[in-house]
C-alpha cells in the first residue's frame, strides 16, 4: 500500500487545473448502458472509481475504448446483468448499475453496498422508488435481485434528497412508460450534468437542479457526446489548501457558481476569493479566523468538503463549530487531526475545533476519500513530517493530487508499497 509523506511549512502558490468530476462521471458512464448506440464521454478523471466503472461496463458486455480523458462506450448487447460484491464493496456508486440494467434487459442482480467508514449508507430510497416504477426487488444473500417488465413512470417523493437515488431514478425514468415526477430531488450540479447527458441522448427532462424533476419516458435513447463538468470538490480542496497555507492559488476549470457555499466561508474566514472567467483565485496574507460550517444538501455546504474545512479550522484563530448532517459518522479525520496536535471536541454531529498556531507532524491513517486529502492539507501546516497511510482511498477520487500539490510548492511525495 502506498503512503504519502508531507513536510509542512510550504505555502501553496501558482496555477492548478481541476480534472473532470468523479461524481458526475460515474452516473453518466452508467447511463451509457441505456442505449445500444455509441456514447462518447469526455473529461473523465483518471481515478480508481472511474477505472472500476469502466471495468464493470466491459464485464457487462459493453465495448469500451479509452483515449486519455475521453472514452467511447457502446453497449450494443449486454451479456451479463450482475455486479458482484467484490466490485460494489469498493465503490458504492456501482449500485447505480441496477436501474439501467433493469430498464435495458429487464433484470439485474447487484450486491447491496453494505456499510462504509462514514456510515451505514442504505439504498432503501433507490429500491422503494424502483418498486413504485413497477420493479420487483428481492434482497437475497446480500444482493438486490430485481426484475421488471416495462417500467412505468411514477410520482416519487424522496424522504431525503439523496444524490444517488435521484440519479438512479432519472436514468430509469427515461426508459419508463409515461411521466415520472421526483419530488424532494437532490439539486447537486452533478444531477444537472447527468440530465444534460441524458437530454443529449434524447431524453426529456425538466427541472434538474431544482427540487422537482420531471422526466418523460421514451421507448429508446440514442448515443451521446458529453463533456463531464469540472470537479467542484477537487476545486474546493485546492482553494482551502491555498487559503490555509496563506498562499495564492488560481484553480483553473473551477466553477464559482457550483462552489458558493465554500467561497462564502473562505471569505468569512478572511481569505480573498476572486471569481474569474473559468477559474477561481484564492489568497490569504494572515492566519484565518475560525468559522462555523454545517453540511447540507446542495446548495448548502458540501459534506465532501467538510474534512478539508475542518483541517483549515484546526489552525485558524478562535473556535469553529463543524456540524455534519448528511452522514452519521464522518468525523474520523478529527481523531487523526488530534494526533497532529489539533484541539477538537466531538459531540455527536458536532465538532468543536479550537484553532492552534501549528500542528505537529505524525503518522496518521486515512479512513475515507475526503479524510485522506484533509490529512494532506493538515500535513502542509504541521511541523516536520506527516505520513499518511492507506492512501488508496485518495486514489479513488483524486487524479495525481501529490503531483498537483508539488507543482504548487508543497513538499510532498508518495512512497510506493509502504506498510500500513
Ligand atoms: C453522493 C456522492 C458523495 C456525497 C453524497 C452527499 C457520488 C458518487 N457520491 O453519494 O460523494 O458525499 O452524495 O452529497 O456522487 N440515504 C439513505 N437511503 C438511500 C440513499 C441515501 O438513507 O437510499 C442516506 C445516506 O445514508 C446518507 C444520505 O442519505 O446519509 C446522503 O446520501 P446520498 O445523497 O444518497 O449520497 P450518495 O449518492 O451515496
Amino acid at each position: 500500500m502506498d503512503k504519502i509523506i508531507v513536510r509542512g511549512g510550504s505555502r501553496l502558490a501558482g496555477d492548478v487545473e481541476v480534472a473532470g468530476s468523479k461524481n458526475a462521471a460515474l452516473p453518466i458512464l452508467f447511463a451509457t448502458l441505456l442505449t445500444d448506440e455509441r456514447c462518447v464521454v469526455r473529461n473523465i478523471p483518471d481515478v480508481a472509481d472511474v477505472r472500476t466503472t469502466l471495468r464493470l461496463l466491459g464485464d457487462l458486455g459493453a465495448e469500451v475504448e479509452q483515449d486519455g480523458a475521453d472514452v467511447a462506450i457502446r453497449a450494443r448487447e449486454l451479456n451479463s446483468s450482475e455486479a458482484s460484491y467484490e466490485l460494489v464493496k469498493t465503490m458504492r456508486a456501482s449500485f447505480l448499475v441496477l436501474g439501467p440494467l433493469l430498464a435495458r434487459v429487464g433484470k439485474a442482480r447487484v450486491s447491496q453496498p453494505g456499510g462504509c467508514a462514514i456510515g451505514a449508507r442504505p439504498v432503501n430510497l433507490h429500491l422503494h422508488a424502483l418498486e413504485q416504477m413497477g420493479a420487483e426487488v428481492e434482497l437475497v444473500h446480500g444482493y438486490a435481485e430485481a426484475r421488471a417488465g416495462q417500467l412505468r413512470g411514477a410520482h416519487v417523493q424522496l424522504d431525503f434528497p439523496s444524490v444517488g437515488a435521484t440519479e438512479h431514478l432519472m436514468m430509469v425514468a427515461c426508459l419508463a412508460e409515461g411521466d415520472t415526477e421526483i419530488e424532494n430531488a437532490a439539486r447537486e450540479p452533478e444531477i444537472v450534468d447527468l440530465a444534460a447527458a441524458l437530454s443529449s441522448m434524447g431524453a426529456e427532462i425538466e427541472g434538474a437542479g431544482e427540487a422537482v424533476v420531471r422526466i418523460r419516458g421514451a421507448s429508446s435513447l440514442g448515443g451521446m457526446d458529453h463533456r463531464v463538468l469540472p470537479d467542484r470538490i477537487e476545486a474546493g480542496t485546492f482553494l482551502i489548501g491555498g487559503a490555509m497555507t496563506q498562499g495564492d492559488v488560481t484553480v483553473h476549470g473551477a466553477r464559482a457558481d457550483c462552489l458558493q457555499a465554500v467561497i462564502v466561508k473562505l471569505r468569512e474566514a478572511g481569505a480573498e476569493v476572486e471569481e474569474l472567467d473559468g477559474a477561481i483565485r484564492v489568497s490569504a496574507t494572515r492566519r484565518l479566523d475560525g468559522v462555523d460550517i454545517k453540511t447540507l444538501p446542495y446548495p448548502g455546504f458540501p459534506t465532501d468538503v467538510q474534512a478539508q474545512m475542518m483541517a483549515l479550522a484546526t489552525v485558524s484563530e478562535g473556535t469553529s463549530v463543524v456540524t455534519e448532517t448528511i452522514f452519521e459518522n464522518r468525523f474520523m479525520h478529527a481523531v487523526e487531526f488530534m494526533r497532529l496536535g489539533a484541539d477538537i471536541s466531538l459531540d455527536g454531529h458536532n465538532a468543536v475545533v479550537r484553532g492552534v498556531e501549528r500542528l505537529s507532524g505524525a503518522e496518521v491513517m486515512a479512513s475515507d476519500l475526503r479524510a485522506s486529502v484533509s490529512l494532506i492539507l493538515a500535513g502542509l501546516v504541521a511541523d516536520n513530517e506527516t505520513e499518511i497511510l492507506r492512501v488508496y482511498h485518495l486514489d479513488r477520487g483524486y487524479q495525481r493530487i501529490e503531483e498537483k500539490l508539488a507543482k504548487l510548492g508543497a513538499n510532498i511525495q508518495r512512497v510506493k508499497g509502504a506498510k500500513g
Side-chain angles (χ1 to χ4, degrees), residues 23 92 121-126 160 162-164 303-304 326-327:
N23 285 356
R92 176 183 158 82
R121 301 185 80 176
V123 283
N124 55 320
L125 301 175
H126 301 232
F160 178 86
S162 153
V163 174
T303 175
D304 287 350
I326 308 291
F327 291 108

Side-chain angles (χ1 to χ4, degrees), residues 22-24 26-27 49 91-93 96 118-127 160-167 186 188 190 232-233 296-298 302-304 325-328 330 369-370 396:
K22 167 184 84 75
N23 285 356
L26 301 178
D49 279 7
M91 189 184 90
R92 176 183 158 82
L96 291 179
I118 62 177
R121 301 185 80 176
V123 283
N124 55 320
L125 301 175
H126 301 232
L127 297 179
F160 178 86
S162 153
V163 174
T166 304
E167 292 168 344
E188 270 68 3
E190 293 75 24
R232 67 190 166 102
I233 308 301
L296 287 169
Y298 191 84
T303 175
D304 287 350
T325 76
I326 308 291
F327 291 108
E328 70 213 27
R330 204 174 198 179
L369 170 54
R370 308 302 168 184
R396 287 190 35 226

Side-chain angles (χ1 to χ4, degrees), residues 11-49:
R11 175 178 172 267
L12 298 186
D15 297 270
V16 64
E17 177 92 35
V18 283
S21 160
K22 167 184 84 75
N23 285 356
L26 301 178
I28 291 170
L29 291 173
F30 286 121
T32 64
L33 293 177
L34 295 167
T35 179
D36 58 6
E37 292 187 22
R38 185 168 185 265
C39 295
V40 178
V41 186
R42 302 184 191 275
N43 198 32
I44 55 167
D46 182 16
V47 296
D49 279 7

Side-chain angles (χ1 to χ4, degrees), residues 33-351:
L33 293 177
L34 295 167
T35 179
D36 58 6
E37 292 187 22
R38 185 168 185 265
C39 295
V40 178
V41 186
R42 302 184 191 275
N43 198 32
I44 55 167
D46 182 16
V47 296
D49 279 7
V50 164
R51 289 191 286 271
T52 304
T53 303
L54 295 177
R55 213 181 68 220
L56 171 58
L57 296 177
D59 287 352
L60 294 171
E63 297 154 30
V64 178
E65 274 170 56
Q66 192 172 358
D67 178 13
D70 299 341
V71 63
I73 297 162
R74 183 152 191 195
R76 210 188 295 257
E77 268 174 46
L78 297 175
N79 53 28
S80 163
S81 55
E82 180 159 332
S84 68
Y85 177 62
E86 220 34 55
L87 207 129
V88 179
K89 76 168 194 254
T90 66
M91 189 184 90
R92 176 183 158 82
S94 50
F95 193 71
L96 291 179
V97 77
L98 190 142
L101 284 175
L102 199 57
R104 185 75 193 280
V105 294
K107 61 176 184 170
R109 183 169 184 268
V110 178
S111 169
Q112 287 171 257
C116 67
I118 62 177
R121 301 185 80 176
V123 283
N124 55 320
L125 301 175
H126 301 232
L127 297 179
H128 182 59
L130 288 172
E131 282 172 342
Q132 280 181 272
M133 298 181 77
E136 279 174 35
V137 187
E138 260 191 294
L139 299 177
V140 220
H141 305 306
Y143 279 73
E145 295 189 356
R147 292 192 163 271
Q150 173 62 57
L151 289 158
R152 37 175 207 274
H155 178 103
V156 177
Q157 165 83 39
L158 292 176
D159 290 348
F160 178 86
S162 153
V163 174
T166 304
E167 292 168 344
H168 215 159
L169 279 177
M170 277 168 53
M171 290 195 272
V172 173
C174 290
L175 288 181
E177 191 176 286
D179 295 349
T180 295
E181 192 167 65
I182 311 172
E183 272 197 70
N184 199 23
R187 293 184 280 163
E188 270 68 3
E190 293 75 24
I191 303 280
V192 179
D193 207 34
L194 173 63
L198 292 168
S199 301
S200 75
M201 298 170 84
E204 283 184 56
I205 304 178
E206 236 179 65
E210 295 166 29
V212 181
V213 183
R214 293 188 182 82
I215 303 113
R216 171 142 299 170
S219 55
S220 65
L221 293 177
M224 68 162 118
D225 187 333
H226 181 82
R227 187 176 171 81
V228 172
L229 96 166
D231 197 312
R232 67 190 166 102
I233 308 301
E234 187 194 7
T237 303
F238 287 123
L239 292 178
I240 292 171
M244 67 191 276
T245 58
Q246 297 177 34
D248 184 345
V249 172
T250 303
V251 186
H252 295 272
R255 276 181 42 183
D257 58 327
C258 301
L259 270 165
Q260 280 306 309
V262 176
I263 291 173
V264 163
K265 285 296 166 183
L266 285 173
R267 286 188 179 135
E268 196 183 319
E272 181 135 348
V273 185
E274 274 178 82
E275 300 177 21
L276 308 168
D277 193 18
I280 307 177
R281 177 176 178 188
V282 72
S283 59
T285 48
R286 63 170 179 85
R287 187 175 168 202
L288 297 180
D289 302 323
V291 288
D292 295 343
I293 62 154
K294 182 177 188 176
T295 64
L296 287 169
Y298 191 84
F301 194 92
T303 175
D304 287 350
V305 185
Q306 181 256 103
Q308 299 88 312
M309 203 65 185
M310 194 189 289
L312 179 145
T314 62
V315 288
S316 294
E317 178 102 49
T319 300
S320 308
V321 179
V322 178
T323 307
E324 172 61 51
T325 76
I326 308 291
F327 291 108
E328 70 213 27
N329 184 23
R330 204 174 198 179
F331 281 150
M332 282 86 56
H333 44 278
V335 186
E336 300 298 306
F337 290 155
M338 291 186 224
R339 300 198 66 248
L340 298 173
D343 180 353
I344 304 175
S345 335
L346 294 177
D347 180 13
H349 286 279
N350 296 310

